[in-house]
């Protein structure tokens, strides 16, 4: 067996740019292409979906993303890897459901039934009756908000006292938990939100549970797609990104015949047909939103984050969520935020040179022009975002 090929940080950055449509000439025509290039768009914050797709589109267009999500339905939301909300293409949904969402939905149902029994004394039969009533209310293509469903299904207005007798005791409505589990299982789906594309108050519609796929096969295919978009990566990267056990990650890597390569942090993997070096894509700049799939793609981030610990700390909140970032040639060189007047402000950690500064300014102007009058505040705010938005 020959020596394991070493893949340096520069080559990893070249791959990132080419695979994830981050260069100007590599941008997508359609939002579905952006989603495919990243495997999934991070959907915890509704605005991230639009901003991530727009950063990778030749002509950013919120209406095109709306059309893909709510008219053509070529993009769809689901609770998946790491029990996190993602947006994937309709073609990828059965795969992601089998590989990650199905097990998460089962765990969510177990927690829901225990929570209802402890907090309200309701059993699984009661829950099934409520769920049947919800599905009946959405029959025939009807769409309703949670509040509208609660009017039609009164038991959704029941309340549970959580952590009774403790300092953090709280009264909670059952509706959000029940709808969340129905959505995790695919029995209902999120449709157009109330308000604009930054809103997280969705209308609900009846869904269809994907045809079952063997979980092992689905995990292998998901790993194949991840390696194509994010490789090379380590077992730790994949374990973190998927939320699987290490045993499941290793089985999926073996199933796709992943080839080991050497990385600064240890052994990494590439697809067997993807081991050739990636050519230099040339200079590129990007302004990516909070929770963008690129910086959220790996657990080990030293090869693209700034070296100064203070600079890194400014980019993350206390839970480790990354905020809006400025990129130059595959490295994070600063952060950005939208001000109250709609302007886009950014700050760089060091002087990257005249060419980089001009390219970053052009991306900021592009983003500002696309946002127009839409005001975006990340759901998870970071020190730099707060500073720049003031």
């Amino acid at each position: 067996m020959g020596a394991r090929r070493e893949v340096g940080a520069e080559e990893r950055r070249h791959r990132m740019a080419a695979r994830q449509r981050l260069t100007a000439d590599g941008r997508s025509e359609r939002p579905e292409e952006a989603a495919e290039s990243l495997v999934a768009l991070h959907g915890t914050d509704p605005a991230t979906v639009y901003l991530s797709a727009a950063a990778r589109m030749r002509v950013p267009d919120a209406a095109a993303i709306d059309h893909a999500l709510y008219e053509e339905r070529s993009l769809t939301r689901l609770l998946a890897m790491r029990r996190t909300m993602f947006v994937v293409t309709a073609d990828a949904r059965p795969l992601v459901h089998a590989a990650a969402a199905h097990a998460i939905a089962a765990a969510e149902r177990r927690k829901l039934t225990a929570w209802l029994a402890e907090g309200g004394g309701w059993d699984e039969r009661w829950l099934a009756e409520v769920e049947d009533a919800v599905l009946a209310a959405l029959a025939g293509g009807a769409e309703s908000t949670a509040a509208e469903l609660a009017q039609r299904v009164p038991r959704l207005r029941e309340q549970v006292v959580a952590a009774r007798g403790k300092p953090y005791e709280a009264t909670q409505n059952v509706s959000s938990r029940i709808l969340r589990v129905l959505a995790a299982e695919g029995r209902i789906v999120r449709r157009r939100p109330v308000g604009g594309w930054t809103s997280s108050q969705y209308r609900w519609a009846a869904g269809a549970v994907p045809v079952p796929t063997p979980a092992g096969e689905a995990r292998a295919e998901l790993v194949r797609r991840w390696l194509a978009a994010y490789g090379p990566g380590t077992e730790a990267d994949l374990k973190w990104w998927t939320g699987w056990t290490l045993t499941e990650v290793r089985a999926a890597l073996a199933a796709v015949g992943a080839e080991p390569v050497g990385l600064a942090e240890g052994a990494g993997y590439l697809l067997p047909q993807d081991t050739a070096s990636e050519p230099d894509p040339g200079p590129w700049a990007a302004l990516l939103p909070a929770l963008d799939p690129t910086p959220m793609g790996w657990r080990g981030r030293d090869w693209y984050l700034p070296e100064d610990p203070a600079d890194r700390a400014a980019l993350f909140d206390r839970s480790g969520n990354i905020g809006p970032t400025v990129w130059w040639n595959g490295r994070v060189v600063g952060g950005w935020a939208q001000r109250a007047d709609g302007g886009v402000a950014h700050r760089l950690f060091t002087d990257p040179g005249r060419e980089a500064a001009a390219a970053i300014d052009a991306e900021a102007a592009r983003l500002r022009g696309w946002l127009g009058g839409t005001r975006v505040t990340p759901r998870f705010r970071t020190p730099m975002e707060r500073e720049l938005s003031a």
Side-chain angles (χ1 to χ4, degrees), residues 69-377:
L69 281 165
Y70 307 119
E71 304 298 333
E72 190 178 43
R73 298 174 187 172
S74 53
L75 292 176
T76 184
R77 286 181 170 84
L78 77 167
L79 194 69
M81 291 73 70
R82 303 191 312 279
R83 195 170 162 270
T84 296
M85 189 64 64
F86 286 93
V87 169
V88 302
T89 63
D91 290 342
R93 181 186 172 227
L95 161 71
V96 175
H97 183 85
H102 178 74
I104 289 170
E108 290 295 301
R109 177 163 291 278
R110 290 192 295 270
K111 288 189 286 187
L112 173 62
T113 54
W115 181 74
L116 290 172
E118 179 181 354
W122 299 300
D123 58 15
E124 293 184 19
R125 179 178 176 180
W126 181 91
L127 175 58
E129 291 173 353
V130 176
E131 291 173 330
D132 287 345
V134 169
L135 296 176
L138 296 174
E143 296 185 6
S144 299
T145 65
E148 291 167 345
L149 282 171
Q151 291 299 316
R152 300 182 64 183
V153 184
R155 282 187 286 187
L156 283 176
R157 300 199 297 269
E158 296 284 4
Q159 295 183 321
V160 164
V161 177
R164 189 185 298 274
K166 297 182 179 179
Y168 47 90
E169 177 182 309
T171 301
Q172 301 171 346
N173 291 333
V174 303
S175 59
S176 60
R177 295 281 293 265
I178 292 174
L179 295 178
R180 179 182 176 88
V181 168
L182 284 171
E185 294 172 342
R187 298 165 68 189
I188 63 174
V189 293
R190 292 167 177 82
R191 290 291 185 238
R192 190 179 295 276
V194 178
W197 53 264
T198 62
S199 172
S200 58
Q201 184 182 353
Y202 296 99
R203 296 176 176 89
W204 295 99
V209 179
V211 176
T213 301
E217 293 179 14
R219 286 194 291 267
E221 175 59 18
L222 190 60
V223 163
R224 187 194 67 76
R225 297 188 185 199
W226 186 90
L227 287 174
Y230 296 89
T234 65
E235 291 178 344
D237 291 330
L238 267 167
K239 183 177 182 296
W240 177 81
W241 188 86
T242 59
W244 300 339
T245 66
L246 186 58
T247 298
E248 290 169 335
V249 167
R250 288 174 173 169
L253 285 168
V256 300
E259 291 283 345
V261 295
L263 303 176
E265 61 266 43
Y269 294 90
L270 281 169
L271 292 172
Q273 68 273 23
D274 197 26
T275 55
S277 298
E278 193 78 41
D280 186 346
W284 60 275
L287 270 66
L288 300 182
L291 299 178
D292 184 84
T294 291
M296 294 293 288
W298 301 267
R299 184 176 183 273
R301 299 166 174 171
D302 287 348
W303 56 280
Y304 63 81
L305 285 178
E307 294 182 1
D308 190 327
D311 292 341
R312 292 191 180 195
L315 296 170
F316 292 86
D317 73 2
R318 293 181 179 179
S319 299
N321 298 302
I322 195 164
T325 48
V326 177
W327 295 70
W328 174 247
N329 290 349
R331 295 210 65 140
V332 176
V333 296
W336 67 272
Q338 188 183 32
R339 298 191 302 264
D341 63 2
V344 174
H346 66 273
R347 179 166 67 82
L348 306 181
F349 297 126
T350 59
D351 181 1
R354 183 178 301 176
E355 179 187 22
I360 291 167
D361 286 344
E363 286 300 306
R366 178 177 182 263
L367 175 61
R368 181 171 59 249
W370 177 72
L371 286 172
T374 302
R375 182 76 174 89
V376 178
T377 301

